[in-house]
Amino acid sequence: MNRINIIELHLGELTSADELHDLLFNSLKLPDYYGKTWDAFWDVIETENVLPKKLVLNNWSALESNLPREAQLMKECLTDYQNKKVALPCQIVYT
């Protein structure tokens, strides 16, 4: 399987958890069974190797302001992924 080198997500205009999960679903090409919850996000990134080599999260501070709970849960998932020893490496850049 060929992994994508880089994906940039623009988070500044998001106003709901549904919008964020839709962006993740479409941008990362998540499987149809993705349940659009943080547990489902974790399950997919842990088992399906969908993350690119580099994920750039533009306007992260806007997401933290607009959707603080979602930003925290997303960051926890991504940090846990990066800390897994068996995971394919993904550099996460918060801008």
Side-chain angles (χ1 to χ4, degrees), residues 15-80:
T15 59
S16 71
D18 286 338
E19 288 179 356
L20 176 55
H21 283 287
D22 286 343
L23 178 66
L24 293 170
F25 176 78
N26 293 316
S27 300
L28 298 175
K29 298 181 179 21
L30 300 180
D32 289 338
Y33 63 83
Y34 172 57
K36 297 185 180 180
T37 67
W38 293 113
D39 287 336
F41 182 71
W42 172 252
D43 290 343
V44 168
I45 66 171
E46 181 185 33
T47 61
E48 299 291 332
N49 299 318
V50 295
L51 293 179
K53 294 177 184 177
K54 183 176 184 178
L55 181 62
V56 180
L57 303 171
N58 292 311
N59 306 108
W60 180 258
S61 62
L63 184 69
E64 289 178 310
S65 294
N66 297 338
L67 301 169
R69 180 180 181 276
E70 305 309 316
Q72 177 188 354
L73 293 170
M74 182 178 177
K75 192 168 195 173
E76 286 174 11
C77 287
L78 294 173
T79 299
D80 288 349

